[in-house]
Amino acid sequence: MKLIILDRDGVINHDSDAYIKSLDEWIPIPGSIEAIAALSKAGWTVAVATNQSGIARGYYPLSVLESMHARLRELVAEQGGEVGLIVKCPHGPDDGCECRKPKPGMLRQIGEHYGVALSGIWFVGDSASDLETARAVDCQPVLVKTGKGERTLTKGLPAGTLVFDDLAAVAAQLLT
Ligand SMILES: [Mg+2]
Ligand SMILES: [Zn+2]
């Protein structure tokens, strides 16, 4: 199967250092919904792995997070596509969980869900921890310049990282 895994904040929707705490704050980056729909319609399964420590910090409840993901699914469906498995880490940095990126637990969960090996699968993110997570399970690290991406670029990237302007450009590359 053709599987691609995306980080959420800064890749699909605009990010904020103050967290995305409500449905109103969840605003898609231009072209991202269309990109997911186009990939889906071309036979790609598009999964999402997102750190959401704002839950552990009490900034927003799980129900609000779920409403954002319902909105994402709805918008992609309007474009004739489908969003695959969305895996979230609701824990804080000190909780010692196995899912919070850069730990690769969420990517493993997605691989197990679909019964595929993660090696070479593209994982698209905007922060250094996303790239590190990809490397931990032999995924192809892909950086987009949206969200924290420009900042991440200045820190030096793991060898072999692919860089694109945004998710639309990633999709365009895979669909050529
Ligand atoms: Mg991000
Ligand atoms: Zn976790």
Side-chain angles (χ1 to χ4, degrees):
M1 75 182 287
K2 296 187 287 185
L3 173 67
I4 182 168
I5 306 173
L6 312 179
D7 169 42
R8 196 197 78 173
D9 297 331
V11 174
I12 300 173
N13 56 275
H14 290 291
D15 199 5
S16 164
D17 286 336
Y19 296 81
I20 305 301
K21 305 176 294 300
S22 68
L23 189 53
D24 282 346
E25 292 174 357
W26 190 86
I27 301 164
I29 292 168
S32 70
I33 298 296
E34 292 78 4
I36 295 169
L39 284 166
S40 165
K41 288 190 277 188
W44 286 83
T45 294
V46 184
V48 178
T50 180
N51 278 1
Q52 292 297 330
S53 68
I55 302 270
R57 298 174 207 267
Y59 294 164
Y60 47 91
L62 199 56
S63 60
V64 166
L65 186 70
E66 296 299 350
S67 72
M68 297 174 202
H69 296 168
R71 171 69 57 82
L72 168 62
R73 290 186 183 283
E74 188 180 291
L75 292 173
V76 171
E78 280 171 11
Q79 304 284 329
E82 192 185 331
V83 180
L85 186 67
I86 300 176
V87 180
K88 61 195 172 286
C89 167
H91 310 113
D94 302 324
D95 288 345
C97 72
E98 288 301 314
C99 38
R100 183 174 162 81
K101 295 176 285 185
K103 291 228 176 121
M106 290 192 286
L107 300 192
R108 290 218 172 93
Q109 205 180 323
I110 290 167
E112 280 162 23
H113 177 84
Y114 290 111
V116 297
L118 289 171
S119 179
I121 299 282
W122 284 27
F123 178 49
V124 184
D126 67 319
S127 60
S129 77
D130 293 316
L131 305 176
E132 196 181 322
T133 308
R135 295 276 298 206
V137 285
D138 199 26
C139 281
Q140 166 66 54
V142 181
L143 179 75
V144 285
K145 295 183 190 172
T146 49
K148 299 183 171 80
E150 291 281 5
R151 219 186 297 173
T152 302
L153 258 182
T154 66
K155 294 181 197 159
L157 307 177
T161 300
L162 300 175
V163 181
F164 293 92
D165 282 346
D166 55 15
L167 187 56
V170 173
Q173 173 68 35
L174 289 174
L175 297 174
T176 46

